[in-house]
Amino acid sequence: MIRLARCTPLALVAALLVACGDREPTTTPGAPGATPSWALQSAVVSEHPIVLAAAPGLTTAAGERLAADLRELSSQVAGAAGGIVVDYPFEGSVFPPGFVPPTFLWHDDAPRADAWLVRIEGGAATPILTFVPGPPQEPGWVDPRAIGETNELYEPTPYQASAHSWTPSPELWREMQARSVDAPVTITFAGVVTDAPVSAASTVSAGSVAISTSRDEVGAPIFYRDVPLMPSVSAKDGRIKPLAIDAVPIIEWRLRDVTRPASKVVLTGIRRCANCHSFSQDGTRLGMDIDGPAGDKGAYALADISPQLVIADDDVITWNSFPGKRDGKKTIGFLARVSPDGRYSLATLNESVYVANFANYRFLQVFYPTRGIL
């Protein structure tokens, strides 16, 4: 956990948590005053000499020696390279301000490494140090209703499963973002062997990534439809649909503020398909394709955005009502778009569209227009 200590100048204090469980601090056998091992439970680092937190069995002399070794190790880590590949974030990634803490993923070629010293450095501020255990990334939650006979639970590849992970605390991530606005910060991971003495020689690998924070906010929540990938195959004629009609109510409309850890469900249980959508540039108007009555897939809803948005009959038109429509030809109003000021919508009419559905949920559908009139 990160604490900001009020002093002059400001000292950034970062807890160093070691992946050693509840083991008691130990010392390396040998001469008196030998360096303690990585079993030290916690310590803090500031721009002043390293201050050690209370740790049972740690003497003053041993603490001073450990502080010196950690400073030396930190300087070694700053220029170290080799053995560690940071998979995420990508080099040069730019995050919006206030973005939720990302999960760092990396691979370490050193099999002996069982904990990682992380050094966060940027600008003139004192580098931040923290220890991380680097466990595998935890799988995300899966809605059990979205698991059917035609799909399966996600299984990571062997490479993904062997990755180490670390998610900064919200406090630490805020500091990292504050430091990376004017110039990137470099995050260096150094693999260490925790049963060896604490010294620069105990690092067995290192790798780094540089990231930045933009001055521009995202500025609005992200609206999306959460759709299960569950293709259905008709037993009668073998026709494939991207989603069975009885599974449509599982679809959820969601809003996600990137500064919050989770999205918000704003609509669920809808029994008709409603999908391709757009907003006016000022975010005041929504346009969305819906399946209308009597199989009219050209129905289209236009509604003003409000805290509780209601789409009534008066808000729905059908693109099939346009003059000059060919006899027997039905249109869907392909990929309609609301104008920037929300006064108009533009769509492709009398269109011809190529569509191919597949039973493999990994490659569910291909569709694109081949002809149309705006």
Side-chain angles (χ1 to χ4, degrees):
M1 181 177 65
I2 298 304
R3 304 193 309 274
L4 291 181
R6 293 186 176 274
C7 62
T8 305
L10 178 67
L12 179 69
V13 183
L16 298 184
L17 302 178
V18 186
C20 299
D22 297 326
R23 292 186 296 171
E24 289 295 321
T26 59
T27 57
T28 303
T35 304
S37 79
W38 295 100
L40 176 68
Q41 292 183 354
S42 66
V44 294
V45 180
S46 73
E47 60 187 331
H48 303 293
I50 296 173
V51 179
L52 298 179
L58 185 65
T59 64
T60 301
E64 292 176 352
R65 175 65 184 277
L66 177 58
D69 283 334
L70 285 173
R71 284 195 298 272
E72 179 186 359
L73 178 59
S74 176
S75 65
Q76 295 288 333
V77 168
I84 290 181
V85 174
V86 180
D87 301 302
Y88 185 84
F90 300 120
E91 177 70 22
S93 292
V94 180
F95 290 89
F99 196 78
V100 294
T103 297
F104 287 76
L105 301 173
W106 70 94
H107 279 82
D108 194 334
D109 289 339
R112 295 174 58 216
D114 55 4
W116 287 265
L117 175 66
V118 182
R119 177 187 172 103
I120 303 158
E121 185 173 22
T126 304
I128 305 170
L129 299 178
T130 185
F131 281 113
V132 299
Q137 184 180 18
E138 294 185 1
W141 179 81
V142 177
D143 188 340
R145 299 174 303 167
I147 304 172
E149 296 179 354
T150 56
N151 63 6
E152 60 189 36
L153 282 172
Y154 166 77
E155 291 290 341
T157 66
Y159 183 81
Q160 292 169 331
S162 63
H164 303 283
S165 71
W166 167 62
T167 304
S169 68
E171 296 84 0
L172 176 54
W173 178 242
R174 279 197 293 269
E175 179 64 25
M176 293 168 68
Q177 288 216 289
R179 292 187 178 201
S180 60
V181 174
D182 296 323
V185 294
T186 299
I187 300 95
T188 301
F189 295 86
V192 299
V193 181
T194 59
D195 61 359
V198 179
S199 69
S202 62
T203 59
V204 293
S205 56
S208 63
V209 64
I211 62 173
S212 301
T213 297
S214 172
R215 294 185 181 277
D216 299 319
E217 298 180 352
V218 172
I222 299 169
F223 172 80
Y224 66 98
R225 296 169 64 251
D226 191 351
V227 183
L229 302 180
M230 300 171 60
S232 65
V233 182
S234 171
K236 294 182 178 180
D237 56 11
R239 181 176 298 180
I240 302 171
K241 293 184 178 181
L243 187 66
I245 190 65
D246 58 355
V248 169
I250 301 177
I251 296 174
E252 295 177 338
W253 294 11
R254 289 178 175 266
L255 280 177
R256 177 64 186 269
D257 182 341
V258 299
T259 67
R260 297 181 178 272
S263 60
K264 180 180 180 180
V265 177
V266 296
L267 178 66
T268 189
I270 188 170
R271 296 192 173 277
R272 288 187 178 274
C273 186
N275 44 62
C276 297
H277 59 272
S278 67
F279 292 89
S280 59
Q281 188 169 320
D282 60 6
T284 62
R285 197 88 160 130
L286 165 69
M288 178 174 284
D289 297 347
I290 61 175
D291 280 5
D296 183 6
K297 291 185 176 294
Y300 185 71
L302 278 166
D304 293 329
I305 301 299
S306 62
Q308 289 191 342
L309 191 156
V310 177
I311 299 176
D313 290 346
D314 291 343
D315 302 311
V316 179
I317 66 165
T318 174
W319 293 110
N320 280 298
S321 64
F322 73 94
K325 184 169 70 73
R326 290 182 296 172
D327 293 339
K329 173 69 176 180
K330 288 187 176 181
T331 191
I332 60 176
F334 192 63
L335 296 181
R337 176 77 187 215
V338 178
S339 65
D341 61 5
R343 295 178 61 195
Y344 305 97
S345 278
L346 181 71
T348 304
L349 305 181
N350 267 344
E351 74 287 330
S352 296
V353 180
Y354 174 82
V355 180
N357 297 319
F358 302 90
N360 185 343
Y361 70 95
R362 295 178 178 87
F363 194 79
L364 193 64
Q365 186 182 68
V366 172
F367 68 92
Y368 55 85
T370 60
R371 178 188 181 278
I373 300 172
L374 295 180

